Amino acid sequence: MNIENEFTYNYWQYSIVDHVFTIGYAAMAAGLVYFLVTSKQALPRYRLASALSAVVMVSAFLELLVLSLQWQRTFVWDGAQYVVGDQLFSNGFRYMNWSIDVPALLVQLLVVVGVTGVAFRRGVVIFVVSGLAMVYTGYVGQFYEVGREAPFWVWGAISTVFFAIIIAVVWRTTYGNVDRLPLEVRPMVKGVFWLLTITWMLYPGAYLMPAIWDSADGVVARQMSYTIADVVSKVIYGVLLGIIAQRISRIEGYEPARDAQATALRGGVTEVDAPGRV
Ligand code: RET
């Protein structure tokens, strides 16, 4: 049982959550188009990253659409406020979505920073195992969020241990490989570490929300922070990784990457390639 079902919502509270779900799945649909269209602009060795971004977009789109429909079906207007009807709302769908997205997002990072061979396979195993352990222990804990009994805290704490392992490995993957990458992309790779770390911390924050702010406003804040976290950790993160892959591809002389960046580069690639053309 989730705290969403414990409260009644005024028009504002209900509508904000309703709208926030909409921007969530709309952003995933938009991201899907972007990742499919740009996937060929980087060297073939980076295309797994675009494919994984597309996988993340489809699964998150469906999950947020389901949550949105669920929100609309659970709460009914009684003439003065929105109250629970004959169905309950559950955040559990999010955790099911994370079990696809967390491993997919982490493996993308290995691909883009150029981890290969045994190190790649080892990285995949660590990310998949600790990612799933983090998600499923948290999934069990969230069932106890209304009463905040011992399992809420114990499973949450166990999940946090796996989270710490993931962040440590992400640190090693980014900061440990950054010196092998072209100078131009180094600040972005470091930025990806911080973007991931900060936005992923919003999820345990949302888990703890019942203990921090146990009210209808707390629910609104929780669903807003989930959506911000989803858009940044899936869409913006994927776009950044795509740009890094494209820049490395350009630096290595890959034509489609050079053409794709012609508009953004100072002076334009055209000027260099075809002097005299205005
Ligand atoms: C839980 C349980 C409480 C403790 C911790 C958690 C961490 C969750 C995280 C989820 C990340 C999800 C992502 C989804 C994107 O698609 C499970 C809430 C630490 C970090 C990135």
Side-chain angles (χ1 to χ4, degrees):
M1 172 84 159
N2 289 140
I3 60 161
E4 276 72 5
N5 305 299
E6 286 199 293
F7 306 110
T8 60
Y9 301 91
N10 66 29
Y11 175 77
W12 285 83
Q13 292 163 329
Y14 173 88
S15 302
I16 289 171
V17 174
D18 200 23
H19 299 160
V20 157
F21 281 135
T22 315
I23 184 63
Y25 66 76
M28 302 304 149
L32 178 64
V33 174
Y34 178 86
F35 294 123
L36 293 179
V37 170
T38 57
S39 73
K40 296 261 158 56
Q41 294 174 357
L43 281 160
R45 70 165 190 265
Y46 293 120
R47 300 219 179 121
L48 177 60
S50 296
L52 289 169
S53 272
V55 166
V56 167
M57 292 302 106
V58 172
S59 94
F61 171 83
L62 290 171
E63 175 246 336
L64 291 169
L65 185 62
V66 166
L67 278 184
S68 167
L69 296 172
Q70 212 201 171
W71 180 261
Q72 293 166 356
R73 240 179 292 141
T74 303
F75 299 102
V76 289
W77 182 250
D78 73 355
Q81 56 188 346
Y82 282 93
V83 297
V84 177
D86 54 11
Q87 189 194 304
L88 294 180
F89 179 87
S90 171
N91 281 306
F93 295 100
R94 292 191 180 277
Y95 292 72
M96 296 302 115
N97 165 253
W98 300 343
S99 52
I100 297 173
D101 289 3
V102 164
L105 291 168
L106 294 169
V107 172
Q108 274 181 65
L109 186 64
L110 295 173
V111 172
V112 172
V113 299
V115 176
T116 55
V118 182
F120 177 76
R121 292 196 294 274
R122 197 186 320 126
V124 171
V125 171
I126 294 175
F127 280 150
V128 172
V129 171
S130 45
L132 293 181
M134 174 186 81
V135 170
Y136 292 137
T137 50
Y139 175 70
V140 178
Q142 58 92 36
F143 281 110
Y144 299 89
E145 71 175 25
V146 170
R148 260 105 60 210
E149 298 93 343
F152 175 76
W153 300 104
V154 173
W155 288 113
I158 297 172
S159 176
T160 305
V161 173
F162 292 107
F163 180 53
I165 293 172
I166 292 171
I167 296 299
V169 179
V170 169
W171 167 270
R172 222 180 47 198
T173 306
T174 47
Y175 276 76
N177 285 295
V178 75
D179 294 336
R180 293 193 297 100
L181 297 172
L183 262 179
E184 186 187 319
V185 299
R186 287 182 195 172
M188 281 179 87
V189 171
K190 292 177 185 169
V192 164
F193 170 80
W194 291 105
L195 178 129
L196 187 150
T197 303
I198 292 165
T199 55
W200 284 38
M201 275 167 31
L202 292 172
Y203 294 96
Y207 180 95
L208 283 175
M209 195 63 87
I212 302 168
W213 198 1
D214 195 14
S215 69
D217 283 333
V219 166
V220 176
R222 158 145 99 170
Q223 297 301 337
M224 284 173 76
S225 61
Y226 268 140
T227 301
I228 294 168
D230 281 345
V231 173
V232 182
S233 73
K234 299 180 217 247
V235 186
I236 306 214
Y237 169 85
V239 170
L240 277 180
L241 288 183
I243 293 173
I244 293 171
Q246 202 191 75
R247 288 200 179 167
I248 301 174
S249 303
R250 187 198 78 229
I251 291 164
E252 292 186 16
Y254 187 61
E255 292 259 348
R258 223 172 41 158
D259 293 345
Q261 286 173 40
T263 317
L265 287 176
R266 203 206 314 248
V269 172
T270 319
E271 197 182 75
V272 177
D273 287 353
R277 243 177 79 182
V278 185

